[in-house]
Amino acid sequence: APIVDIMTGRGSSNPEYLIFFKGALYFQADDGTHGKEPWRWFPSGSTCSSGYAELLMDVRPGFASSGASFFTTMTSRHSGTDYLYFSATDGRYTVGVDSVEGWGGSQIWRTDGTKGGTKRAFQKTDNDLYIDKKWISMDYPRRFHVYEDALYLPASYGLHDVVVPKQGFRAQNTESLRGID
């Protein structure tokens, strides 16, 4: 039996990227209204079917998906606070409902486990990271990596401050055009 029905009816919310953090289960899911967004499930009692789920944040407001993924826990070396980091896009510079990367890529987000404590992790992630999702997804679990109190992920900076030549960019393949090595 399911522990919670996020998308009521016969459809599936397709939960992915599950991780336990601060007493709750965090994951990406689609409720049919908000697109694929970060959710959390709080267990209660001793039975498997008890508890409740709630949308953590509608990162990309409306029906379009933010593509919240690669949930990874890390302790801040500055404050000593535990955070859950993830990739998502707020939709800025993004074309199409199903596209989870805009012109400059995705952002790194973090949460302390509360709705109010969910925000962009770094000031310079205003759609300026092309996260190499293909290679992160080949590993299991599909998460960023933490080593010696630092967060690592394969990505490139994108085109934030690059001047595009009049004739445009030329590349032999899509990966080199996007800057992913």
Side-chain angles (χ1 to χ4, degrees), residues 16-95:
E16 288 188 272
Y17 307 103
L18 286 77
I19 189 168
F20 197 73
F21 176 70
K22 292 189 177 181
L25 184 67
Y26 290 78
F27 53 96
Q28 173 202 93
D30 185 351
D31 65 355
T33 303
H34 298 97
K36 294 178 181 177
E37 296 292 342
W39 283 73
R40 60 185 173 177
W41 175 74
F42 295 97
S44 63
S46 60
T47 63
C48 236
S49 62
S50 63
Y52 68 96
E54 67 180 5
L55 179 66
L56 177 65
M57 180 181 193
D58 193 5
V59 175
R60 186 173 176 189
F63 181 73
S65 298
S66 72
S69 55
F70 310 119
F71 295 99
T72 306
T73 59
M74 187 176 82
T75 303
S76 168
R77 21 175 141 170
H78 302 292
S79 66
T81 305
D82 291 333
Y83 290 103
L84 184 63
Y85 289 84
F86 59 97
S87 166
T89 186
D90 60 8
R92 190 173 181 191
Y93 311 123
T94 305
V95 178

Side-chain angles (χ1 to χ4, degrees), residues 89-145:
T89 186
D90 60 8
R92 190 173 181 191
Y93 311 123
T94 305
V95 178
V97 174
D98 294 326
S99 177
V100 292
E101 284 200 333
W103 169 248
S106 300
Q107 304 102 32
I108 306 297
W109 291 72
R110 79 173 189 195
T111 184
D112 62 2
T114 65
K115 287 184 179 194
T118 304
K119 57 187 176 183
R120 283 197 184 104
F122 310 105
Q123 190 176 22
K124 292 293 281 181
T125 59
D126 183 27
N127 286 80
D128 63 352
L129 288 176
Y130 285 117
I131 298 170
D132 196 343
K133 296 176 181 183
K134 174 183 172 184
W135 293 105
I136 297 174
S137 294
M138 291 179 82
D139 200 9
Y140 186 83
R142 296 179 296 166
R143 297 190 179 125
F144 299 141
H145 294 278

